[in-house]
Amino acid sequence: MKKLAAGVALMALVAGSAHAAEEVEVLHWWTAGGEAAALNVLKDNLAGQGVGWKDMPVAGGSGVQAMTALRARVTAGDAPTAVQMLGFDIKDWSAMGVLGDLNELAQKENWDMVVPAALQEFSKHDGKWIAAPVNVHSTNWLWINKAAFDKAGGKAPETFDDLLKMLDAFKAQGIVPLAHGGQPWQDGTLWEAVVLSLGGMEFYQKAVIEADPAALGGDKMKEVFEAMSKLRAYFDPNFSGRDWNLSSAMVIEGKAGAQQMGDWAKGEFLRAGQKPGTDFVCIRFPGTQGSVLFNSDQFVMFDIGEGEERSAQLKMAAAVMDPAFQSSFNVVKGSVPARVDVADTAFDDCGKKGMQDLADASKTGNLAGSLAHGHAQPSAVKSAIFDVVTQHLNGQITTDEAVKRLPEAVAAAQ
Amino acid sequence: MNGTSSAMAARPPVHRGLADRLRDGLPRLVLAPSFALILVFVYGFIIWTLTLSFTTSRILPVYSFAGFDAYIRLWSQPNWHMALGNLAIFGILYMSACIAIGLLLAILLDQRIRGEGVLRPIFLYPMALSFVVTGTAWKWFLNPGLGLENTMRNLGWESFTFDWLVNKDMAIYTIVIAGVWQASGFVMAMFLAGLRGIDSEIIKAAQIDGASTVSIYRRIILPLLRPVFLSALIVLAHMAIKSYDLVIALTGGGPGNATELPSTFMYSYTFTRNQMAVGSASAVMMLMGIAAIIVPYLYSELREKDR
């Protein structure tokens, strides 16, 4: 508390001193290799328009640390131009009344028509555009090392039981079957994929999106936690606290067979010079084919007054929504464009599959927000679910306790 | 003041008065800025935190009051009980191990051995490192795949296992190990100073009376070190309650949340879980914990001065 306050005071002194002609200050957590490379696309685009880029990176995969840094800035009355943000965080912040208004630009460029409704849910507040969506990620992917995959039979697992068979085959090869990083958000990412795999979209909607106590504490959920215990047996002993990109590296180097992770993992594979289909395989998490759990990175625009800063801000928002940018950015990042009217020609096989899956799932109603990435519940509830999931995965509580505690924890956080 | 001014009445009054006033006011003038800063940035923020703990603040501070709601929510959290349980384990082991090891080192160093000047800083050196460095170094050392376990296995001891860092039941003890490693040298320095302050005449007298070394330590030296024990306990207790960086660097609160302490709880609820009121309430509970240790200590100090 004291440190924060001192920091706030210090920033208030420093603020207002340095302002170049036209410049945007962007707070984000894209610090892993593939992510940083993708962000450079946007930097170069803006530099071409004479807009400077003041980087404010805050490391940490889930963006939690970035939100903390943001809180200090906003409390000090010195909000950055734009902030990378996810789902319910955007809703929380827009309720605080500190965000800017992009409606004029949005109407001129017809954002209402090109951005999927599921995303608009988060990029608009009270009918007002407040954020520019950059991409759509989906979290229910499985990334597999091709060599290990071929040795294990070369057939993509289609159900959860098939997955266990494949992991057994990896085990027999003497590699780590499933590379996993034991951080609460990664545990949560795996958990939501298992919920979808075993329960289907209807159950996911009921349990995760609606937080229905009966679904959270029922027999199906018990099955999910039992499945988590089974998966736990395929981790290496050192998974605790490992960053997600280090787990990806294990798959890339052939030390591990597979990793369940969102499509940002693809950026790591591409950056290591690997090609989809020949060096690695991307499939939907077994049992979740046809469904997509999404999260969307958006650049939320803060209210920074009129003048030069505002003009730089609008230029940035327009640049983010530029179809050419959305294509080139997402090719590098591993995600798919937030606009539905972008051609998939530049994308690799995994990217094309991702775009196709997104379009299909959106039509069939099998598109839902990812809990682990803040598109299903506010962060208090999300963290409460993480608590139970991570405690169970680490053996602190039994399956029965987890099923009992999950609805309680959710109710206490609401 | 009155005495001075009447005695100086014959001299030109203005000049002396100014110098006098300056001499009187100078200490106050010098202390005023730091006093004002502490008033605002320590006590002011304590009051602010206290205020927030009675509000419904979630993402940013808001001032709609809700009574003891945040405290009720705090005490109903299994995480908070986990944190308190861990603090009890960590605090008791950390304090007792630091004092035991520190005292032993001090007594051994006090035997007028050669090279003491070299040994003393070697033992004290860990204190020069920040907890983040200590935590990171021990994280690598204790990581089963990188550090001790891996090394022993590579040396041929295949069955060697030391996986406390990733074991939910043992992880809290790795924090004790790293904490003790860091602070026991400092406790040693305190005890060494205490030992050096003991009047050697008393010991010589006891030796002449035929007392053994063990009973000299037990009956004379240790009782004389009582104030040092007390200071060590106070310093270690508040270090245990506020320890945050060590946990974050060493285990990040994991595996699961097996090494959650009140400080990590406070941070996560205030800043990452958007439950600022509950976080503030936990900060107030920590403050009360520290006050429970410091206030009796201050009280006894002040009483001794009065006597």
Side-chain angles (χ1 to χ4, degrees), chain B residues 18 35 41 65 110 133-134 195 204 210 218 229 242 245 263:
Chain B
L18 190 68
F35 186 73
F41 288 108
F65 290 90
D110 195 35
V133 176
T134 307
L195 285 170
K204 274 181 197 147
R218 204 162 60 85
F229 273 104
K242 74 177 187 192
D245 29 11
S263 52

Side-chain angles (χ1 to χ4, degrees), chain A residues 321-373:
Chain A
M321 293 301 287
D322 177 20
F325 162 73
Q326 293 244 336
S327 171
S328 53
F329 176 89
N330 286 303
V331 164
V332 184
K333 180 80 167 73
S335 43
V336 304
R339 298 173 66 116
V340 290
D341 60 346
V342 178
D344 69 355
T345 43
F347 288 80
D348 57 34
D349 293 348
C350 290
K352 285 190 173 112
K353 177 174 162 54
M355 291 174 80
Q356 189 61 46
D357 285 353
L358 180 71
D360 292 349
S362 169
K363 258 180 243 149
T364 55
N366 284 321
L367 178 66
S370 150
L371 171 81
H373 300 275

Side-chain angles (χ1 to χ4, degrees), chain B residues 25-214:
Chain B
L26 199 61
R28 267 176 245 167
L29 202 69
V30 173
L31 279 179
S34 62
F35 186 73
L37 285 176
I38 286 179
L39 210 62
V40 173
F41 288 108
V42 177
Y43 297 96
F45 282 106
I46 287 177
I47 291 168
W48 194 29
T49 307
L50 196 64
T51 315
L52 285 181
S53 73
F54 290 105
T55 64
T56 55
S57 305
R58 291 183 85 99
I59 187 168
L60 287 175
V62 293
Y63 299 98
S64 61
F65 290 90
F68 284 92
D69 181 54
Y71 291 90
I72 294 165
R73 292 164 75 99
L74 172 71
W75 285 98
S76 68
Q77 297 281 347
N79 283 2
W80 175 243
H81 294 280
M82 178 104 204
L84 289 182
N86 281 338
L87 178 63
I89 296 175
F90 172 68
I92 291 167
L93 286 179
Y94 172 70
M95 286 190 283
S96 43
C98 275
I99 288 180
I101 294 173
L103 182 62
L104 190 72
L105 287 176
I107 289 175
L108 294 179
L109 262 187
D110 195 35
Q111 307 303 317
R112 311 280 161 193
I113 47 168
R114 232 187 303 161
E116 191 202 312
V118 180
L119 288 174
R120 210 173 31 203
I122 288 178
F123 285 122
L124 193 55
Y125 189 71
M127 197 67 190
L129 299 177
S130 81
F131 272 120
V132 175
V133 176
T134 307
T136 309
W138 278 92
K139 179 165 93 177
W140 291 337
F141 182 67
L142 295 174
N143 186 310
L146 293 173
L148 185 64
E149 183 179 304
N150 189 34
T151 311
M152 294 308 261
R153 288 189 178 179
N154 286 345
L155 289 176
W157 187 356
E158 288 292 334
S159 62
F160 183 87
T161 307
F162 190 81
D163 61 350
W164 285 13
L165 187 70
V166 295
N167 181 330
K168 60 169 168 85
D169 296 318
M170 305 308 283
I172 185 73
Y173 299 105
T174 62
I175 297 177
V176 176
I177 294 174
V180 168
W181 178 83
Q182 167 112 353
S184 47
F186 169 66
V187 177
M188 177 211 73
M190 286 173 81
F191 276 117
L192 198 57
L195 285 170
R196 292 288 150 83
I198 291 173
D199 189 355
S200 58
E201 295 298 318
I202 306 171
I203 295 162
K204 274 181 197 147
Q207 276 168 342
I208 290 166
D209 286 345
S212 68
T213 315
V214 175

Side-chain angles (χ1 to χ4, degrees), chain A residues 266-306:
Chain A
K266 193 178 83 178
E268 296 294 301
F269 284 89
L270 297 182
R271 216 171 61 89
Q274 299 213 322
K275 285 198 172 53
T278 57
D279 300 307
F280 68 97
V281 179
C282 56
I283 58 168
R284 287 287 165 189
F285 190 78
T288 68
Q289 296 87 346
S291 297
V292 172
L293 298 184
F294 80 92
N295 69 309
S296 165
D297 288 298
Q298 312 216 8
F299 277 117
V300 172
M301 300 297 169
F302 276 77
D303 184 4
I304 50 169
E306 294 303 317

